[in-house]
């Protein structure tokens, strides 16, 4: 039997530590008969995608990389802002999934009201514009920022801020939480246990969708 086409996960920033965290997050999806999962770093990107400008800078770089990887059966853009998603979908020969959209839709499949733990107040403003454009703003109970950088978001020292943000969102009515940065992937399990609410890692959510797309086409 022909093996399935590989799944490509792209970290749009140039921080290899974030890519390593993404790689750990997708480890449960590396199945014996499943697609090979390749996590890559956009080495020419900024060290973190933390502004609209950063997203605009990496969009053409992502589209160029996606257009070259015609071997991929599905592609995941591993940044919660989903930079360059529309452009990548235009040039790709396979499904392209943004972790922002995937994380939110997965959370909404599990709960009526969703809370988002964001990196910064600036990212919250960008996110709300996206939720309104996607027509899902009414399903968002709120967002709370932990005021961390992408590079720091996986640091255990940030965990108390994540826990406090999650508790605040639960008080606002959130029934499930979404981690608003790919760099937070290592914090998911401990946060879910501490809060007693479903916590969605958007990288894992996007990976599940990507794998299902590959296997459906196999």
């Amino acid at each position: 039997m022909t093996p399935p086409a590989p799944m490509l996960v792209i970290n749009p920033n140039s921080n290899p530590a974030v890519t390593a965290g993404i790689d750990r997050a997708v480890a449960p999806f590396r199945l014996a008969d499943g697609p090979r999962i390749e996590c890559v770093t956009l080495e020419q990107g900024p060290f973190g995608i933390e502004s609209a400008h950063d997203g605009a800078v990496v969009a053409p770089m992502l589209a160029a990389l996606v257009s070259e990887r015609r071997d991929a059966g599905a592609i995941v853009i591993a940044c919660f802002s989903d930079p360059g998603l529309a452009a990548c979908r235009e040039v790709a020969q396979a499904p392209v999934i943004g972790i922002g959209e995937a994380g939110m839709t997965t959370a909404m499949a599990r709960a009526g009201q969703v809370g988002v733990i964001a990196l910064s107040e600036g990212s919250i403003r960008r996110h709300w514009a996206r939720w309104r454009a996607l027509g899902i703003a009414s399903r968002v109970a709120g967002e709370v920022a932990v005021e961390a950088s992408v590079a720091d978001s996986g640091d255990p020292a940030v965990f108390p801020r994540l826990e406090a943000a999650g508790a605040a969102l639960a008080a606002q009515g959130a029934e499930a939480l979404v981690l608003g940065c790919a760099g937070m992937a290592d914090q998911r399990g401990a946060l879910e246990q501490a809060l007693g609410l479903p916590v969605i890692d958007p990288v894992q959510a996007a990976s599940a969708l990507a794998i299902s797309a590959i296997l459906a086409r196999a």
Side-chain angles (χ1 to χ4, degrees):
M1 186 175 76
T2 303
M7 182 178 103
L8 178 66
V9 184
I10 306 172
N11 171 20
N13 71 51
S14 58
N15 186 343
V18 173
T19 307
I22 291 169
D23 192 73
R24 289 190 293 273
V26 302
F29 299 94
R30 290 190 166 100
L31 308 176
D33 296 325
R36 177 174 58 85
I37 301 176
E38 180 184 355
C39 299
V40 301
T41 305
L42 192 68
E43 295 181 355
Q44 66 270 45
F47 201 63
I49 310 296
E50 298 180 358
S51 67
H53 178 265
D54 290 336
V57 166
V58 300
M61 301 177 190
L62 287 167
L65 177 57
V66 166
S67 67
E68 294 172 358
R69 290 300 303 266
R70 297 183 180 273
D71 60 312
I75 298 168
V76 172
I77 306 299
C79 172
F80 196 70
S81 296
D82 292 339
L85 185 58
C88 289
R89 285 174 172 165
E90 283 184 353
V91 300
Q93 301 296 307
V96 181
I97 299 169
I99 69 167
E101 283 188 4
M104 296 300 286
T105 54
T106 298
M108 289 188 296
R110 297 187 60 180
Q113 289 289 298
V114 174
V116 180
I117 299 178
L119 282 178
S120 66
E121 290 295 331
S123 62
I124 289 177
R125 289 192 292 272
R126 296 195 304 277
H127 294 166
W128 274 105
R130 187 82 190 288
W131 311 150
R132 288 190 288 270
L134 291 172
I136 63 172
S138 65
R139 299 285 299 277
V140 182
E143 291 200 38
V144 174
V146 294
E147 298 304 334
S149 68
V150 174
D152 295 336
S153 60
D155 190 327
V158 177
F159 183 83
R161 281 181 268 166
L162 296 174
E163 187 176 7
L169 289 164
Q172 294 175 32
E175 300 159 318
L177 303 174
V178 181
L179 300 177
C181 177
M184 297 178 183
D186 287 335
Q187 311 266 30
R188 191 207 69 79
L191 190 62
E192 183 170 274
Q193 185 174 16
L195 296 172
L197 290 177
V199 177
I200 309 301
D201 169 24
V203 174
Q204 292 183 331
S207 296
L209 292 173
I211 288 176
S212 67
I214 292 171
L215 296 181
R217 299 170 66 187

